[in-house]
Amino acid sequence: GENVEQHPSTLSVQEGDSAVIKCTYSDSASNYFPWYKQELGKRPQLIIDIRSNVGEKKDQRIAVTLNKTAKHFSLHITETQPEDSAVYFCAASGSGGYQKVTFGIGTKLQVIP
Amino acid sequence: EAGVTQFPSHSVIEKGQTVTLRCDPISGHDNLYWYRRVMGKEIKFLLHFVKESKQDESGMPNNRFLAERTGGTYSTLKVQPAELEDSGVYFCASSQVGGGSNEQFFGPGTRLTVL
């Protein structure tokens, strides 16, 4: 089955700096890669996703990159703000409607004002 | 639109007792998933319903866990008898079938503590 490795497990950055979270996956058949953000005491919410037919996707201060050959994908947050502080989970799955999602261990991001 | 809801939000039980968790998915979502997160670890897949049918239950830890989704609406996850290692946050998520979107919408979770 699929295995997703995520690092770092914790990350502290100064407000305004960039944050990068990296993930690797094992199943070359995976072709859908969502990122979820879980703020303290709240539910995980999808913030951005990428499919395997593209190498990069951007949404304001958030970008994801995907290297299918190396089975790596990353989340980049620029100009971090205190409200970016949360646990971020990467995940991988097939793109069919019935595909199981495998999550990484999560990265606790702290943005220091 | 109401999101995914879960009940209870917290449950503290003793080892050997039974607990039943409930999940109400977003109306119209045929896919329903159960996940568990043990502190500091990944969100781990437990099982997946499509309507009332179990599509994939490969993540269920053992036969102490029983999930049902009678009628294809809400789902329950029963743990009987509970063990210490069952402690964690149990999330439910739902998604549409088709429509080009894979997004799973999560509930707030049920924090289960087994003493």
Side-chain angles (χ1 to χ4, degrees), chain A residues 9 12 16 24 35 40 44 58 64 66-67 71 73 81 87 89 91 93 98-100 102 106 111-112:
Chain A
S9 56
S12 289
T24 61
W35 286 86
L40 189 64
K58 212 171 179 180
V64 289
L66 172 65
N67 181 331
K71 298 199 193 78
F73 59 116
Q81 301 168 4
V87 179
F89 294 94
S93 82
Y98 300 160
Q99 298 298 322
K100 179 170 86 176
T102 302
V111 179
I112 304 165

Side-chain angles (χ1 to χ4, degrees), chain A residues 24-103:
Chain A
T24 61
Y25 62 100
S26 61
D27 188 348
S28 57
S30 290
N31 55 13
Y32 173 66
F33 306 91
W35 286 86
Y36 283 81
K37 174 184 180 182
Q38 186 181 16
E39 296 177 65
L40 189 64
K42 297 191 176 180
R43 67 192 70 197
Q45 290 195 297
L46 181 74
I47 55 170
I48 195 166
D49 56 14
I50 190 167
R51 297 180 190 276
S52 59
N53 56 348
V54 298
E56 184 174 358
K57 184 176 177 180
K58 212 171 179 180
D59 183 3
Q60 299 182 333
R61 298 184 296 106
I62 295 173
V64 289
T65 58
L66 172 65
N67 181 331
K68 273 207 79 178
T69 304
K71 298 199 193 78
H72 289 174
F73 59 116
S74 300
L75 177 73
H76 304 250
I77 306 173
T78 57
E79 300 169 30
T80 54
Q81 301 168 4
E83 53 265 36
D84 295 329
S85 296
V87 179
Y88 292 81
F89 294 94
C90 64
S93 82
S95 64
Y98 300 160
Q99 298 298 322
K100 179 170 86 176
V101 177
T102 302
F103 286 85

Side-chain angles (χ1 to χ4, degrees), chain B:
Chain B
E1 176 185 299
V4 177
T5 58
Q6 291 185 245
F7 181 83
S9 57
H10 294 82
S11 180
V12 180
I13 60 173
E14 292 189 352
K15 176 183 167 180
Q17 290 186 318
T18 298
V19 63
T20 300
L21 314 181
R22 174 172 169 143
C23 168
D24 286 76
I26 292 172
S27 177
H29 281 191
D30 287 338
N31 286 318
L32 187 150
Y33 307 84
W34 282 99
Y35 294 93
R36 177 174 71 180
R37 187 177 190 222
V38 173
M39 190 185 301
K41 299 200 171 180
E42 76 273 23
I43 299 173
K44 191 167 182 287
F45 169 85
L46 296 178
L47 88 160
H48 169 207
F49 283 99
V50 178
K51 297 185 181 179
E52 67 275 11
S53 300
K54 290 176 185 171
Q55 181 75 18
D56 181 352
E57 52 184 327
S58 60
M60 294 288 263
N62 50 60
N63 59 9
R64 295 185 294 103
F65 288 75
L66 176 64
E68 294 181 322
R69 194 183 181 194
T70 307
T73 53
Y74 71 91
S75 175
T76 58
L77 180 64
K78 183 161 76 172
V79 184
Q80 178 183 32
E83 298 289 345
L84 300 179
E85 64 264 25
D86 300 334
S87 296
V89 180
Y90 289 77
F91 289 105
C92 173
S94 71
S95 70
Q96 290 181 317
V97 172
S101 172
N102 290 81
E103 181 175 0
Q104 294 187 19
F105 295 83
F106 278 75
T110 293
R111 182 175 295 278
L112 174 65
T113 303
V114 183
L115 302 176

